[in-house]
Amino acid sequence: MSKTFRSLANPNYRLWFGGAIISNIGTWLQRTAQDWIVIAELSDKNASAVGLVVFLQFAPQILLLPITGWTADRMDRRKLLFITQCLMAMLALILGLLVLSGHVVLWQVCACAFALGCVAAFDAPARHAFVSDIVSEKELSNAVGLNSVSFNSARLVGPAIAGVLIALIGTGWVFMINVLSFIPLLIALHQFKRRLPAVVSDNSKATPDMTKFLEGFRYIWQHREMAVILAMSFMICSLGMNFSVYLSAMTVHVFQGHADQYGFLISMMAIGSISGAMVTASRRSSPSFRFMIYVAAMFAVSCFLVAISTSFWAFAVLLVLLGLSLQLFTTSTTSYMQVATEKRYRGRVMAVVLATALGSTALGAPLVGWVADTFGARWSIGMGSLSGLAAALLGFWFLRKQARTEQKDGVR
């Protein structure tokens, strides 16, 4: 256990971890309430409407990619995170007031989701790169894993709490509780002003240019193994990461459930996600490329089993396996990319990695929602199985190609 949580010995990381986990719980409260109000109250149980909201929330990860990574590398990340967290709290407050007023409509939720996505596009790469500012290189892989533990622990607790709170006090007050959850992280960021060395910004170029925009892509392309991992991530995240779409559709259409069942299913998936994050955090070294191929194959199998399960409880239990495989892949990808990248490029590279994961999720969300409405919710999960299989096959193909190249070089 001491090996798994070794980064918490760092007082700066402890401060960050404590504030982040409370903020993450609030984030999952809002996500659950937002998905539920869309499918249950603002549309005719339409999974495509949930897919649209997910698309609008994650599409800015791609649209703003040219400047988000550059900003994370050139600005003081502490100040940038303080700004983004304040803006996120403000958007949660606006959405909460709209719902409590009783006059909220779908387009308003869509607008808030898009605005939140724009802010998150700057927040995500800065948040990931900021970890390297507060821990040593030796602690970095472990800290990345613990960040995932924090996020997925919140995903375990948040939706379950949200399901109960929606039934007791309504979705509007859930959004307002999320506003309060930003306070501990804002306090932690303020404390870092005295605890971390001052950052001197590089003003050699006051404005970004296209060369800087493309450096993250160029760096990944020069390291072909990283490029293949990015392609595998796109395949899996575009269909498999849209669990809010297919789980909400399964809840209302297949199991005829309510908000508490929906929150329970997300929490079951989070149990597997926490297990996957713990496995990653306990590793002494960064995950290997071959390990990620095996995990992609595991994801394909777990999606297939979930899609064909007939009872609610079998479905819920199998979601643990799905969450485990998905988290192992996404966390391993993040850890591998951070450790394999030179520190001065990390902000830009992580912007590309996160934009690929979240941007592909946005692109796949309308498709997953359409499949759920047209062919049934189970088919939308089955698509994730196909994407995992394709990712695993791509990885195996690259390994074989790499082995042949090394064999030829050895003969020469």
Side-chain angles (χ1 to χ4, degrees):
M1 291 296 289
S2 60
K3 180 176 68 175
T4 302
F5 295 97
R6 59 187 180 273
S7 293
L8 291 176
N10 183 322
N12 285 332
Y13 184 73
R14 259 199 323 271
L15 180 64
W16 168 260
F17 187 88
I21 195 168
I22 296 173
S23 178
N24 287 333
I25 290 173
T27 296
W28 279 106
L29 287 175
Q30 173 155 331
R31 285 192 186 183
T32 306
Q34 177 180 277
D35 295 338
W36 189 254
I37 197 174
V38 169
I39 197 167
E41 299 179 31
L42 301 181
S43 67
D44 187 20
K45 297 184 178 179
N46 194 330
S48 297
V50 181
L52 173 62
V53 173
V54 173
F55 171 79
L56 291 172
Q57 187 162 331
F58 293 125
Q61 294 285 345
I62 293 179
L63 298 175
L64 299 176
L65 176 61
I67 56 175
T68 54
W70 181 92
T71 304
D73 279 336
R74 306 288 283 219
M75 278 189 67
D76 182 336
R77 291 178 187 131
R78 186 195 66 81
K79 292 180 180 178
L80 177 59
L81 287 171
F82 196 90
I83 293 170
T84 56
Q85 292 296 301
C86 287
L87 291 174
M88 286 178 172
M90 190 182 303
L91 288 168
L93 177 63
I94 292 171
L95 191 54
L97 291 174
L98 285 172
V99 176
L100 290 173
S101 71
H103 301 293
V104 67
V105 292
L106 183 59
W107 75 263
Q108 294 171 333
V109 177
C110 289
C112 287
F114 182 75
L116 181 62
C118 291
V119 178
F122 288 91
D123 181 84
R127 181 186 286 240
H128 281 74
F130 184 66
V131 175
S132 64
D133 294 338
I134 57 179
V135 301
S136 65
E137 290 291 314
K138 186 181 295 186
E139 297 170 321
L140 182 57
S141 181
N142 176 254
V144 171
L146 289 181
N147 277 357
S148 295
V149 171
S150 167
F151 184 76
N152 288 287
S153 297
R155 194 168 81 182
L156 172 64
V157 176
I161 297 174
V164 174
L165 290 178
I166 290 170
L168 292 177
I169 59 177
T171 53
W173 288 109
V174 175
F175 294 130
M176 301 303 281
I177 292 172
N178 181 39
V179 177
L180 299 178
S181 74
F182 286 96
I183 296 175
L185 189 57
L186 288 172
I187 292 174
L189 289 168
H190 179 72
Q191 291 294 319
F192 280 132
K193 184 176 182 180
R194 296 192 298 270
R195 300 176 69 159
L196 294 178
V199 176
V200 180
S201 60
D202 183 358
N203 295 320
S204 57
K205 286 194 175 182
T207 57
D209 56 43
M210 187 55 67
T211 302
K212 294 293 183 184
F213 292 168
L214 299 177
E215 279 183 354
F217 287 105
R218 187 180 296 114
Y219 187 92
I220 292 173
W221 183 250
Q222 289 170 351
H223 300 77
R224 293 304 173 88
E225 197 167 271
M226 295 173 68
V228 173
I229 291 172
L230 205 65
M232 293 169 64
S233 178
F234 181 89
M235 293 176 185
I236 289 177
C237 292
S238 60
L239 302 177
M241 280 287 285
N242 279 295
F243 54 85
S244 60
V245 181
Y246 55 70
L247 290 185
S248 61
M250 287 291 294
T251 301
V252 299
H253 292 299
V254 178
F255 300 122
Q256 307 297 316
H258 302 285
D260 53 345
Q261 285 96 330
Y262 174 55
F264 174 74
L265 290 178
I266 297 180
S267 296
M268 289 297 290
M269 192 169 177
I271 293 174
S273 298
I274 293 171
S275 302
M278 292 285 284
V279 169
T280 306
S282 64
R283 295 173 65 98
R284 286 191 175 274
S285 59
S286 178
S288 67
F289 181 74
R290 188 178 293 272
F291 175 78
M292 283 182 267
I293 296 173
Y294 293 146
V295 172
M298 178 183 171
F299 171 78
V301 173
S302 59
C303 269
F304 177 76
L305 293 176
V306 169
I308 64 173
S309 59
T310 54
S311 72
F312 177 84
W313 290 108
F315 182 86
V317 171
L318 286 169
L319 283 177
V320 176
L321 179 62
L322 177 57
L324 171 65
S325 57
L326 184 59
Q327 187 61 38
L328 279 175
F329 182 83
T330 54
T331 309
S332 297
T333 299
T334 303
S335 177
Y336 182 94
M337 290 296 206
Q338 285 222 63
V339 173
T341 303
E342 293 178 41
K343 189 168 184 176
R344 61 196 178 104
Y345 289 105
R346 275 186 188 144
R348 279 156 284 187
V349 169
M350 289 312 300
V352 175
V353 172
L354 293 168
T356 300
L358 299 179
S360 60
T361 301
L363 293 174
L367 175 61
V368 173
W370 177 79
V371 170
D373 288 333
T374 306
F375 301 103
R378 295 186 188 278
W379 285 100
S380 63
I381 303 174
M383 291 172 63
S385 180
L386 294 177
S387 69
L389 179 62
L393 291 174
L394 174 62
F396 278 122
W397 169 82
F398 179 78
L399 274 185
R400 291 192 63 184
K401 180 182 177 182
Q402 197 175 47
R404 288 173 184 170
T405 302
E406 291 174 356
Q407 188 176 20
K408 289 179 181 178
D409 291 341
V411 172
R412 291 174 186 171

